[in-house]
Amino acid sequence: MKSIDEHIQKDQSEIQSAKAHGDNAKVRHLTEELTSLQEYKDHHPGDKHDPNALELFCDANPDEPECLVYDD
Protein backbone atom coordinates (compact mmCIF):
# COMPACT_ATOMS: atom_id res chain seq x y z
CA MET A 1 0.00 0.00 0.00
CA LYS A 2 1.08 3.54 -0.63
CA SER A 3 -0.71 5.07 2.34
CA ILE A 4 -2.48 4.12 5.52
CA ASP A 5 -5.76 5.43 4.09
CA GLU A 6 -5.50 3.04 1.13
CA HIS A 7 -4.79 0.16 3.50
CA ILE A 8 -7.82 1.06 5.64
CA GLN A 9 -10.08 1.20 2.56
CA LYS A 10 -8.72 -2.14 1.30
CA ASP A 11 -9.35 -3.82 4.66
CA GLN A 12 -12.88 -2.42 4.82
CA SER A 13 -13.75 -3.79 1.38
CA GLU A 14 -12.12 -7.16 2.15
CA ILE A 15 -14.13 -7.41 5.38
CA GLN A 16 -17.35 -6.94 3.41
CA SER A 17 -16.26 -9.59 0.92
CA ALA A 18 -15.27 -12.05 3.67
CA LYS A 19 -18.61 -11.49 5.42
CA ALA A 20 -20.43 -12.23 2.16
CA HIS A 21 -18.51 -15.51 1.83
CA GLY A 22 -18.99 -16.44 5.51
CA ASP A 23 -15.24 -16.45 6.23
CA ASN A 24 -15.41 -15.50 9.92
CA ALA A 25 -11.70 -16.10 10.58
CA LYS A 26 -10.72 -13.64 7.86
CA VAL A 27 -13.26 -11.12 9.16
CA ARG A 28 -11.76 -11.34 12.68
CA HIS A 29 -8.21 -10.97 11.36
CA LEU A 30 -9.03 -8.00 9.14
CA THR A 31 -11.11 -6.33 11.87
CA GLU A 32 -8.16 -6.53 14.29
CA GLU A 33 -5.82 -5.16 11.62
CA LEU A 34 -8.25 -2.37 10.78
CA THR A 35 -8.53 -1.40 14.46
CA SER A 36 -4.73 -1.27 14.76
CA LEU A 37 -4.45 0.87 11.62
CA GLN A 38 -7.10 3.30 12.83
CA GLU A 39 -5.44 3.60 16.25
CA TYR A 40 -2.07 4.22 14.58
CA LYS A 41 -3.63 6.90 12.38
CA ASP A 42 -5.18 8.57 15.45
CA HIS A 43 -1.81 8.55 17.27
CA HIS A 44 0.13 9.84 14.24
CA PRO A 45 -2.20 12.27 12.40
CA GLY A 46 0.51 13.75 10.18
CA ASP A 47 1.99 10.40 9.14
CA LYS A 48 0.45 9.04 5.93
CA HIS A 49 2.74 6.05 5.24
CA ASP A 50 1.41 2.49 5.56
CA PRO A 51 2.91 1.14 8.82
CA ASN A 52 4.29 -2.38 9.00
CA ALA A 53 3.31 -4.95 11.63
CA LEU A 54 6.15 -3.99 14.00
CA GLU A 55 5.18 -0.31 13.87
CA LEU A 56 1.58 -1.21 14.70
CA PHE A 57 2.69 -3.49 17.54
CA CYS A 58 5.06 -0.92 19.03
CA ASP A 59 2.46 1.82 18.78
CA ALA A 60 0.13 -0.30 20.92
CA ASN A 61 2.90 -1.71 23.19
CA PRO A 62 5.70 0.86 23.52
CA ASP A 63 7.23 -0.76 26.62
CA GLU A 64 7.81 -4.17 25.03
CA PRO A 65 11.52 -5.10 24.72
CA GLU A 66 11.46 -5.20 20.92
CA CYS A 67 10.11 -1.63 20.87
CA LEU A 68 12.60 0.02 23.21
CA VAL A 69 15.20 2.32 21.70
CA TYR A 70 18.50 2.81 23.50
CA ASP A 71 20.89 5.72 23.05
CA ASP A 72 24.58 4.77 23.04
Side-chain angles (χ1 to χ4, degrees):
M1 299 290 120
K2 292 182 181 180
S3 73
I4 191 169
D5 293 322
E6 286 180 15
H7 197 156
I8 288 171
Q9 289 176 346
K10 177 181 162 282
D11 280 359
Q12 289 171 335
S13 66
E14 286 187 15
I15 287 171
Q16 296 305 317
S17 176
K19 282 181 181 178
H21 290 97
D23 190 349
N24 293 331
K26 188 172 184 177
V27 170
R28 280 191 305 274
H29 168 75
L30 290 170
T31 300
E32 289 175 15
E33 183 177 282
L34 182 60
T35 301
S36 294
L37 287 168
Q38 289 171 332
E39 287 175 2
Y40 185 91
K41 185 176 177 180
D42 289 343
H43 295 159
H44 307 277
D47 190 356
K48 300 295 181 194
H49 87 283
D50 185 21
N52 61 36
L54 181 62
E55 290 173 306
L56 293 174
F57 176 78
C58 289
D59 187 59
N61 307 287
D63 293 329
E64 291 296 316
E66 53 270 80
C67 301
L68 299 176
V69 178
Y70 299 97
D71 293 328
D72 289 336

